[in-house]
Amino acid sequence: SGNKSFCGDPLLLEAWSASLPDIDLVDLPGVYNVKVQNESFDIVETSHRITEEYLRKPSTLVVAVVPAMTERIRNDVVLGMIQRASKED
């Protein structure tokens, strides 16, 4: 079909040492707001679902990366998702 998407399964990288903290680092795909040509029909829903699954976990520490050129940070979708998830606690 030629549609491009991403998989909901995490890519796991393991590193262990007595001097390392016991944490899992998960690099999530970006949160999509619109589908463009040649992307999967469900890319918007899939990106939101994957992000929301991690935001619901009580042990999640979020490091959100947003463009420096964003004039109004309040308009960023990811920050809104984080804020809604923290209010649900």
Side-chain angles (χ1 to χ4, degrees):
S1 69
N3 286 344
K4 298 176 183 173
S5 188
F6 45 79
C7 178
D9 298 331
L11 173 63
L12 301 175
L13 300 175
E14 294 185 11
W16 58 93
S17 168
S19 63
L20 292 177
D22 186 19
I23 62 172
D24 295 330
L25 296 175
V26 180
D27 182 14
L28 297 176
V31 175
Y32 291 72
N33 291 315
V34 293
K35 174 195 163 310
V36 296
Q37 187 175 4
N38 293 328
E39 289 182 335
S40 173
F41 71 94
D42 64 346
I43 196 164
V44 173
E45 293 82 10
T46 302
S47 70
H48 282 250
R49 180 183 49 77
I50 292 169
T51 301
E52 288 168 350
E53 284 176 15
Y54 280 93
L55 288 176
R56 282 193 293 269
K57 295 180 180 186
S59 60
T60 296
L61 172 66
V62 178
V63 177
V65 178
V66 295
M69 299 303 290
T70 302
E71 291 182 23
R72 295 198 53 156
I73 199 72
R74 286 190 252 180
N75 293 341
D76 192 86
V77 174
V78 173
L79 296 180
M81 293 172 75
I82 294 167
Q83 187 175 39
R84 283 189 301 280
S86 65
K87 286 181 179 179
E88 294 172 4
D89 291 343

